[in-house]
Amino acid sequence: MQNVISLKTICLLFFFVTAFSFAKEEGHHEEGKDLKTEIKEYIDHHLLDSHDFSLFSYTNDAGEHKYVGFPLPVILFDNGLKVFSSSKLHHGESVAEVGGEYYKLYHGKIYKTDAEGTISYDEHHHATNVKPLDFSITKNVFTVFLVGLLMFFVFGRMAKTYKNGQMTKGIGRFLEPIIIYVRDEIAIPNIGKKHYKRYMSYLLTIFFFIWIINLLGLTPLGVNVTNNIAVTFALALITYLITTFSGNKNYWKHIFWMPGVPVPMKIILAPIELLGTFIKPFSLLIRLYANITAGHIVLMSIIGLMFIFKNWVGSTLSFGLAFVLSLLELLVAALQAYIFTMLSALYFGSAVEEHHDH
Amino acid sequence: MEKLISEFSVGLFFWQLLLFVGLVFLLKKFAWKPILDAVEKRETGIKDALFAADNARKEMENLKADNERILNEARAEREAMLKDARDMKTKMINDAKDEAQAQATKIIEQAQAAIESEKKAAMEELKNQVAGLSIEIAEKVVRKELSSNDNQLQLVESMLGEATLN
């Protein structure tokens, strides 16, 4: 029954993804701009983080840009803490004045400007204004917080259902096999029965976090968290730190003084192995970031093609392609969560591996 | 690469790290630990129950095998006892027969010996009596016969004739 419901939900979701995408593209049309450039800009904008949570925007009859959504708090460290609502920035259309300083939003970043909001550029058309230290609750931070809250609520409730009896109820019936899968197929084979328990919390959290947030990126809410390198970097950094701090004598010996090879080889291998400890988590962050970014770019480009073709054959084909690709992205969302968890477990496993004779 | 670094948002990184680490610890306390403990408890319970059932089954089988064995043993014992008894019976009968035979033979032999000796003694007595009688008769006959010479001669002659015949 659960499966049938979730399948229906997914189908409905995709209907909305494609339907809303239509609305988005149409609403954003501007005079004097090439359609292709506009689509490209829209995709670029979509991939970026933003300081407000806007679901979509449109231009009304009076030629005004209207945004549907809500503002988020901006937190800046610039001569002391400055907190204000992102509604003051007006999506980069005007200058915000806070405590005698002037800030302007330009391409998703906050720059310090003068009272007129002048932005100077270098030869590559990059802004050269000072960027204050920005700790704003952006759309992505907000989403991460929301996902955290959701996970806490769902899994916390699931944990409570166990207290009444030995079996879980409701959504736990669906989640429990996944939790057991993470334990039996990811954690135990890679880390070993002796040590896996210490890492279960991290592995389960990261698996469900990446999965849910990837799925959320496929919804029409237009949130994309895992295609932001700062997010994947943070996740990979935690994996790296856990690996490094749980490394035993055997692990470090294999890095600095590889057993079973001649001495000159040991000396050559040591820096390579040491570099390898950084490359491994680095590959994690690049993989997740690149997969999700690529998926979004391709999906949105194909949706954009519908508006470029503007005929029944081409647009229908694009629609079909976008639909199939959405299904593929759904798989990628789970797959990337699995790979990240799997490889993290593999690295933990190598860090705690007991010595054995070669 | 340059674009990636320039787009790197320290704020987002900071919040992500903070929120995620917080989430890990919160979930560990309120979700993962109770869930995993409950699952493990259930799994151990199931394993124990299966193990106990298996043990009971094995015990049952053992018991059955024991019963079978005891029954077989008893049957064999009965068989052996019966055979022993039968053997003993045959042996006793045979023994008794042999004994009786021996006894009978002995008695017969003794009887025969006694008969023989009795017979001998009787013969002896008979002989003695016959000899005495003969002498008596002979005496009387001789006395009468020897009243004349002729008679004496005649007698001797007849007796001699008889003796040769004998």
Side-chain angles (χ1 to χ4, degrees):
Chain A
M1 196 58 203
Q2 191 89 44
N3 285 350
V4 175
I5 288 170
S6 48
L7 200 70
K8 275 182 185 166
T9 320
I10 287 160
C11 290
L12 207 67
L13 207 82
F14 276 102
F15 174 74
F16 278 123
V17 169
T18 37
F20 264 90
S21 304
F22 261 103
K24 278 180 179 178
E25 297 294 340
E26 275 173 345
H28 205 61
H29 193 57
E30 250 177 72
E31 291 302 316
K33 257 190 190 173
D34 181 18
L35 188 64
K36 277 182 194 173
T37 327
E38 198 197 330
I39 289 171
K40 190 181 172 299
E41 272 177 9
Y42 190 84
I43 294 171
D44 279 344
H45 177 75
H46 167 83
L47 294 175
L48 288 176
D49 200 358
S50 71
H51 282 83
D52 62 305
F53 207 109
S54 60
L55 296 169
F56 57 90
S57 62
Y58 61 94
T59 314
N60 64 9
D61 294 336
E64 272 181 296
H65 247 348
K66 285 285 179 190
Y67 292 90
V68 178
F70 49 90
L72 293 164
V74 175
I75 302 164
L76 297 177
F77 281 107
D78 182 36
N79 296 326
L81 187 68
K82 290 198 169 60
V83 183
F84 54 97
S85 164
S86 72
S87 59
K88 275 197 171 184
L89 295 164
H90 288 105
H91 305 279
E93 280 156 13
S94 63
V95 182
E97 194 251 305
V98 182
E101 307 278 358
Y102 297 93
Y103 302 102
K104 193 175 190 314
L105 198 63
Y106 176 72
H107 278 270
K109 297 257 181 233
I110 292 175
Y111 293 92
K112 210 170 164 180
T113 59
D114 51 21
E116 282 75 44
T118 341
I119 294 209
S120 45
Y121 304 99
D122 62 7
E123 63 267 31
H124 298 296
H125 202 72
H126 290 151
T128 52
N129 288 43
V130 180
K131 277 195 273 186
L133 216 49
D134 186 359
F135 282 93
S136 305
I137 306 296
T138 59
K139 192 176 175 180
N140 284 353
V141 176
F142 185 74
T143 311
V144 168
F145 184 73
L146 225 58
V147 168
L149 216 62
L150 178 81
M151 282 175 75
F152 183 72
F153 178 70
V154 169
F155 289 108
R157 248 176 57 130
M158 179 188 167
K160 279 206 180 73
T161 61
Y162 279 101
K163 280 176 187 160
N164 305 328
Q166 290 285 290
M167 293 298 283
T168 178
K169 287 191 203 100
I171 196 164
R173 294 247 171 93
F174 168 72
L175 293 170
E176 195 196 87
I178 303 172
I179 293 171
I180 293 174
Y181 179 84
V182 170
R183 188 193 64 177
D184 290 351
E185 305 298 327
I186 297 177
I188 293 177
N190 287 307
I191 303 172
K193 266 203 145 46
K194 200 175 157 193
H195 300 285
Y196 82 94
K197 273 188 186 161
R198 274 194 285 160
Y199 303 103
M200 277 312 287
S201 297
Y202 176 68
L203 292 176
L204 283 170
T205 314
I206 202 149
F207 179 78
F208 284 107
F209 180 80
I210 295 177
W211 194 20
I212 293 170
I213 221 150
N214 281 350
L215 286 179
L216 219 56
L218 294 172
T219 61
L221 294 173
V223 285
N224 306 280
V225 181
T226 33
N227 71 359
N228 204 302
I229 202 143
V231 173
T232 58
F233 182 76
L235 295 177
L237 183 73
I238 302 170
T239 294
Y240 171 74
L241 288 177
I242 295 175
T243 313
T244 307
F245 284 111
S246 58
N248 59 13
K249 211 176 108 191
N250 190 41
Y251 173 70
W252 293 115
K253 197 180 167 190
H254 272 77
I255 288 169
F256 290 114
W257 206 243
M258 181 67 87
V261 294
V263 174
M265 275 305 284
K266 284 180 202 265
I267 293 160
I268 295 167
L269 277 176
I272 296 173
E273 286 286 326
L274 191 65
L275 201 66
T277 61
F278 296 107
I279 290 171
K280 279 175 192 169
F282 187 73
S283 75
L284 278 185
L285 84 91
I286 293 294
R287 186 181 296 111
L288 181 58
Y289 160 80
N291 270 287
I292 303 303
T293 311
H296 276 272
I297 291 174
V298 173
L299 193 56
M300 292 196 73
S301 304
I302 289 171
I303 292 170
L305 271 182
M306 279 186 245
F307 302 96
I308 289 174
F309 279 127
K310 276 186 180 158
N311 63 48
W312 278 104
V313 182
S315 295
T316 313
L317 273 176
S318 298
F319 181 83
L321 206 59
F323 183 75
V324 172
L325 213 74
S326 295
L327 292 178
L328 189 73
E329 280 304 303
L330 202 66
L331 175 75
V332 169
L335 196 68
Q336 286 308 316
Y338 169 76
I339 290 173
F340 199 105
T341 317
M342 176 81 187
L343 289 175
S344 292
L346 197 71
Y347 303 154
F348 300 157
S350 75
V352 296
E353 194 182 13
E354 304 285 328
H355 176 74
H356 53 78
D357 294 315
H358 292 275
Chain B
M1 194 67 203
E2 194 199 341
K3 192 168 171 265
L4 277 185
I5 291 166
S6 73
E7 269 178 17
F8 188 88
S9 162
V10 181
L12 182 59
F13 170 73
F14 166 78
W15 284 113
Q16 167 67 23
L17 205 62
L18 192 80
L19 287 172
F20 189 78
V21 170
L23 185 66
V24 169
F25 282 105
L26 270 177
L27 283 180
K28 182 181 183 173
K29 186 162 187 308
F30 291 106
W32 305 134
K33 216 174 130 39
I35 290 173
L36 288 172
D37 283 353
V39 167
E40 199 162 330
K41 205 174 136 197
R42 196 181 63 206
E43 278 172 354
T44 353
I46 290 169
K47 214 197 260 169
D48 284 355
L50 282 177
F51 189 70
D54 204 42
N55 266 3
R57 197 172 51 80
K58 268 187 194 153
E59 216 153 279
M60 202 65 183
E61 262 167 23
N62 276 353
L63 222 64
K64 234 165 118 184
D66 264 12
N67 281 349
E68 196 83 356
R69 195 174 48 79
I70 288 166
L71 212 68
N72 277 342
E73 269 173 17
R75 208 171 285 142
E77 208 163 322
R78 195 193 64 185
E79 209 84 343
M81 275 165 82
L82 278 174
K83 195 171 168 284
D84 273 7
R86 216 176 292 127
D87 284 358
M88 205 174 277
K89 186 190 86 182
T90 325
K91 197 170 164 281
M92 269 169 79
I93 290 169
N94 283 343
D95 279 3
K97 263 185 190 163
D98 286 355
E99 188 103 344
Q101 194 73 37
Q103 205 73 20
T105 318
K106 212 169 131 196
I107 289 166
I108 288 167
E109 269 169 7
Q110 274 174 358
Q112 270 173 346
I115 288 166
E116 200 69 22
S117 67
E118 288 293 307
K119 200 170 109 188
K120 267 183 188 161
M123 282 290 261
E124 205 71 24
E125 208 169 295
L126 203 62
K127 266 181 192 163
N128 287 340
Q129 281 203 12
V130 168
L133 263 172
S134 303
I135 290 167
E136 246 178 79
I137 292 166
E139 212 178 60
K140 279 174 185 166
V141 170
V142 169
R143 225 172 262 162
K144 190 179 148 188
E145 290 280 316
L146 290 180
S147 50
S148 71
N149 251 355
D150 281 348
N151 282 355
Q152 279 177 21
L153 271 172
Q154 213 179 331
L155 179 73
V156 171
E157 261 171 37
S158 75
M159 282 201 45
L160 279 172
E162 265 173 39
T164 41
L165 275 174
N166 276 345

